[in-house]
């Protein structure tokens, strides 16, 4: 199992509790009176003295704040691995949050082009989030996302193209809702006329992979939505299988997935999923950061060059994600909150 290296989890913490003073509408400055009992998650203060984007996002990522955790909830980072110029990158990063208490699964795509701070072999770097995977593998990507969003990520699972195709074909394909624009794009780029639009378009593994890899039709938020749409279709397909077929489908994936789980942990998790009827849980689909907490900048100077990126208000974005997953937050917004977006618009890089 993983531990969040860039944010803390106090010893002997009561994992299912968050201070009652920290509620969804809190927007007041942190004072000594708001500090929680040390047996609970301590509040994380807003950053009000940063003079640049880099300073703000570095201080936020390295502030050592308590990452939220709950024994009823398991967060698994699903990583879709791509290869570019001989190096591997995370083409997709989706936090799958399994809530046993509410019987729900939340799929949250973390935008790969989010401009973020990371420490690579002792060196500070500011670049796209997915570059952390190329430089430090899945463990570094987990560390970066956990530090930005102040949640504990319990494990990761890496799926490459081969395993993706195998997973879909193993269950006989999936039925996906496809828009007219998506069908037209796939037909034009493939030079065929076989793809159609509709609510129940049947894809085999290769077709499903082509669908989730659509890039130039729109932008990153739309691409990540297609990825989550495919995962939901996969879950729906599993629901229609017999128990024996479900177990066979899951078992067939083990050789193709790289994960931080041990084989025993993975088998235990699969057994719990079947006995707890996780496939019947409601599935919620979201993006982090949301449209309200991000702004696009073209040709922004990063460690690897001038790139098109998202500047993110990580403090609000982290608070929103905590509320989405846990229904509670330990992040305190100052009444004079200033975001990285504000600083970028003022050209304070």
């Amino acid at each position: 199992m993983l531990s969040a290296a860039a944010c803390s989890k106090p010893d002997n913490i009561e994992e299912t509790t968050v201070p009652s003073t920290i509620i969804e509408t809190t927007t007041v400055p942190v004072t000594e009176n708001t500090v929680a009992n040390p047996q609970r998650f301590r509040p994380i203060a807003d950053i009000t003295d940063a003079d640049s984007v880099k300073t703000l996002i570095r201080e936020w990522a390295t502030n050592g704040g308590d990452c939220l955790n709950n024994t009823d909830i398991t967060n698994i980072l699903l990583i879709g691995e791509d290869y570019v110029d001989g190096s591997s990158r995370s083409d997709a990063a989706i936090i799958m949050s399994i809530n046993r208490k509410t019987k729900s699964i939340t799929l949250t795509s973390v935008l790969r082009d989010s401009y973020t701070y990371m420490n690579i072999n002792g060196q500070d770097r500011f670049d796209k989030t997915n570059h952390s995977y190329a430089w430090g593998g899945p463990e570094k990507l987990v560390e970066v996302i956990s530090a930005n969003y102040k949640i504990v990520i319990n494990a990761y699972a890496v799926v490459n193209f081969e395993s993706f195709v195998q997973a879909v074909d193993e269950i006989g394909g999936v039925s996906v809702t496809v828009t007219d624009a998506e069908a037209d794009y796939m037909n034009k780029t493939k030079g065929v006329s076989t793809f159609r639009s509709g609510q129940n378009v049947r894809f085999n593994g290769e077709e499903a992979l082509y669908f989730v890899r659509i890039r130039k039709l729109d932008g990153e938020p739309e691409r990540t939505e297609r990825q989550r749409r495919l995962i939901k279709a996969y879950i729906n397909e599993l629901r229609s299988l017999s128990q024996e077929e479900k177990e066979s489908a899951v078992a067939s994936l083990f050789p193709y997935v790289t994960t931080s789980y041990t084989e025993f942990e993975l088998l235990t998790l699969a057994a719990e999923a079947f006995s707890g009827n996780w496939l019947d849980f409601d599935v919620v689909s979201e993006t982090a950061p949301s449209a309200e907490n991000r702004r696009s900048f073209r040709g922004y100077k990063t460690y690897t060059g001038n790139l098109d990126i998202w500047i993110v208000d990580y403090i609000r974005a982290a608070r929103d994600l905590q509320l989405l997953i846990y229904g509670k937050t330990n992040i305190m917004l100052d009444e004079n909150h200033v975001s990285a977006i504000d600083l970028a618009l003022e050209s304070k890089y």
Side-chain angles (χ1 to χ4, degrees), residues 221-238:
E222 292 80 13
R223 185 170 72 251
T224 60
E225 188 280 325
R226 279 188 287 272
Q227 295 165 354
R228 298 192 304 277
R229 203 188 316 165
L230 195 285
I231 292 176
K232 291 173 73 173
Y234 182 84
I235 293 174
N236 285 336
E237 202 68 36
L238 283 176

Side-chain angles (χ1 to χ4, degrees), residues 171-222:
I171 61 174
V174 293
S175 294
V176 186
T177 297
V178 180
T179 67
D180 292 339
E182 290 164 346
D184 290 342
Y185 177 89
M186 290 188 291
N187 284 327
K188 288 178 181 177
T189 54
K190 275 285 192 179
V192 297
S193 58
T194 56
F195 292 104
R196 65 178 181 85
S197 60
Q199 291 188 336
N200 290 291
V201 178
R202 198 71 181 171
F203 284 155
N204 61 28
E206 291 288 350
E207 292 166 337
L209 177 61
Y210 195 68
F211 173 73
V212 298
R213 297 200 71 207
I214 293 175
R215 290 183 179 276
K216 297 182 179 180
L217 172 63
D218 36 43
E220 185 183 12
E222 292 80 13

Side-chain angles (χ1 to χ4, degrees), residues 25-72:
T25 57
T26 300
T27 57
V28 297
V30 174
T31 68
E32 289 185 3
N33 292 332
T34 63
V35 176
N37 184 304
Q39 295 300 310
R40 300 185 176 187
F41 293 100
R42 294 167 301 214
I44 303 176
D46 202 343
I47 295 174
T48 59
D49 58 352
D51 58 0
S52 69
V53 173
K54 285 184 177 179
T55 299
L56 194 156
I57 64 176
R58 181 179 61 239
E59 288 186 4
W60 178 251
T62 59
N63 65 4
D66 291 350
C67 286
L68 291 198
N69 192 29
N70 188 314
T71 53
D72 290 327

Side-chain angles (χ1 to χ4, degrees), residues 63-263:
N63 65 4
D66 291 350
C67 286
L68 291 198
N69 192 29
N70 188 314
T71 53
D72 290 327
I73 298 170
T74 297
N75 292 322
I76 303 172
L77 185 65
L78 306 179
I79 303 170
E81 188 179 59
D82 194 2
Y83 288 90
V84 179
D85 299 326
S87 64
S88 59
R89 292 183 181 175
S90 54
D91 187 60
I94 299 174
I95 303 170
M96 181 172 67
S97 304
I98 304 159
N99 191 320
R100 299 164 181 82
K101 189 172 183 179
T102 63
K103 298 187 183 303
S104 64
I105 296 173
T106 302
L107 301 174
T108 306
S109 294
V110 179
L111 297 184
R112 52 174 281 175
D113 291 343
S114 299
Y115 182 70
T116 192
Y117 164 82
M118 60 196 78
N119 184 286
I120 306 298
N121 298 323
Q123 180 187 48
D124 286 353
R125 297 185 186 181
F126 299 85
D127 215 309
K128 292 185 177 185
T129 295
N130 72 316
H131 286 186
S132 65
Y133 183 86
W135 292 324
E139 293 84 0
K140 180 59 67 173
L141 180 61
V142 166
E143 176 187 309
V144 167
I145 292 174
S146 180
N148 284 332
Y149 289 97
K150 308 306 179 188
I151 62 171
V152 168
I153 296 176
N154 303 98
Y156 66 77
V158 181
V159 180
N160 59 27
F161 293 157
E162 180 183 2
S163 55
F164 181 90
V165 173
Q166 174 76 15
V168 174
D169 285 340
E170 180 66 27
I171 61 174
V174 293
S175 294
V176 186
T177 297
V178 180
T179 67
D180 292 339
E182 290 164 346
D184 290 342
Y185 177 89
M186 290 188 291
N187 284 327
K188 288 178 181 177
T189 54
K190 275 285 192 179
V192 297
S193 58
T194 56
F195 292 104
R196 65 178 181 85
S197 60
Q199 291 188 336
N200 290 291
V201 178
R202 198 71 181 171
F203 284 155
N204 61 28
E206 291 288 350
E207 292 166 337
L209 177 61
Y210 195 68
F211 173 73
V212 298
R213 297 200 71 207
I214 293 175
R215 290 183 179 276
K216 297 182 179 180
L217 172 63
D218 36 43
E220 185 183 12
E222 292 80 13
R223 185 170 72 251
T224 60
E225 188 280 325
R226 279 188 287 272
Q227 295 165 354
R228 298 192 304 277
R229 203 188 316 165
L230 195 285
I231 292 176
K232 291 173 73 173
Y234 182 84
I235 293 174
N236 285 336
E237 202 68 36
L238 283 176
R239 287 170 175 165
S240 66
L241 302 179
S242 67
Q243 185 65 24
E244 184 178 351
E245 290 172 329
K246 291 175 185 175
E247 293 174 358
S248 175
V250 172
S252 70
L253 294 179
F254 289 174
Y256 297 94
V257 176
T258 301
T259 178
S260 56
Y261 281 122
T262 65
E263 183 176 356

Side-chain angles (χ1 to χ4, degrees), residues 289-308:
S290 65
E292 295 76 18
N293 294 324
R294 67 177 187 257
R295 185 170 180 130
S296 63
F297 284 79
R298 292 189 174 277
Y300 197 90
K301 186 177 181 181
T302 74
Y303 178 82
T304 53
N306 296 331
L307 303 175
D308 296 342

Side-chain angles (χ1 to χ4, degrees), residues 305-320:
N306 296 331
L307 303 175
D308 296 342
I309 52 87
W310 301 106
I311 294 293
V312 180
D313 182 349
Y314 278 116
I315 300 169
R316 284 189 181 275
R319 192 171 183 275
D320 287 353

